[in-house]
């Protein structure tokens, strides 16, 4: 099935097409990697809903990306529980380890680093979401080990050109 067919199949499960915008955006993002303007307009056209409704959802929720992101999107929670348990220091550590600042993507396209609001997993603060997975009770050592594991995953998937064994400059 192409993207249109998948969205139409998902939308058929909802009595109101506006309610299908979220699943449609998830389908479109999986297809395109992110959600640029023309894709948002295509989603609105497929659902026959107002374009502004689609834009509103796509730009409100951090699970949607209107800009390209790296192979691994590191979304570190910086809300109260995580902040009290060290997320600020973790952010600085991640920035130093990756050689980028918040909002940036590493040059080889492997990691994008963002901060997000509460991930609903405060009991294991500080927490970071990577793709569909949550990683909690983080400290510097656990973050370093996680980055190593993700680089290894990338090397298996893409080869060493895209996924260097260590961050640039190390
Ligand atoms: S404050 Fe970070 S998960 Fe709730």
């Amino acid at each position: 099935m192409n993207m249109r067919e998948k969205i139409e199949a998902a939308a058929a499960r909802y009595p109101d097409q506006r309610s299908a915008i979220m699943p449609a955006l998830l389908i479109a993002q999986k297809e395109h990697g992110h959600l640029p303007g023309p894709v948002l307009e295509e989603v609105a056209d497929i659902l026959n809903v107002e374009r502004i409704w689609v834009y509103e959802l796509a730009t409100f929720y951090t699970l949607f990306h209107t800009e390209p992101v790296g192979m691994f999107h590191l979304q570190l929670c910086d809300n109260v529980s995580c902040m009290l348990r060290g997320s600020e220091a973790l952010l600085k550590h991640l920035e130093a380890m990756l050689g980028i600042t918040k909002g940036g993507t590493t040059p080889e396209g492997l990691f994008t680093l963002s901060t997000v609001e509460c991930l609903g997993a405060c009991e294991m603060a500080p927490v970071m979401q990577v793709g569909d997975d949550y990683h909690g009770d983080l400290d510097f050592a656990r973050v370093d080990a996680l980055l190593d594991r993700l680089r290894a995953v990338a090397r298996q998937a893409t080869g060493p050109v895209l996924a260097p064994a260590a961050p640039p400059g190390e």
Side-chain angles (χ1 to χ4, degrees), residues 76-83 87 116-128 134:
L76 178 69
C77 174
D78 66 353
N79 238 179
V80 177
S81 300
C82 289
M83 188 184 71
S87 66
V116 293
E117 297 298 321
C118 179
L119 290 166
C122 311
E123 74 282 2
M124 56 181 191
V127 186
M128 183 163 68
Y134 279 18

Side-chain angles (χ1 to χ4, degrees), residues 10-21 47-49 53:
R13 296 197 295 269
Y14 296 87
D16 178 350
Q17 294 299 278
R18 189 172 184 177
S19 304
I21 296 174
L47 295 175
N48 196 26
V49 296
W53 297 346

Side-chain angles (χ1 to χ4, degrees), residues 28-36 58 61-75 100-116 129-132 162:
Q29 182 162 276
K30 195 163 188 183
E31 194 87 9
H32 293 277
H34 69 293
L35 297 167
Y61 291 104
T62 54
L63 82 159
F64 296 126
H65 318 303
T66 54
E67 300 290 333
V69 293
M71 177 182 284
F72 301 109
H73 191 188
L74 311 177
Q75 298 185 94
I100 56 175
T101 54
K102 184 175 84 168
T105 298
T106 53
E108 80 287 14
L110 200 54
F111 296 108
T112 295
L113 177 61
S114 305
T115 56
V116 293
Q129 181 175 359
V130 184
D132 293 333
L162 179 61

Side-chain angles (χ1 to χ4, degrees), residues 71-72 110 147-166:
M71 177 182 284
F72 301 109
L110 200 54
L147 294 179
D148 285 345
R149 284 201 304 279
L150 295 174
R151 287 192 182 98
V153 169
R155 274 196 299 278
Q156 276 195 326
T158 64
V161 174
L162 179 61

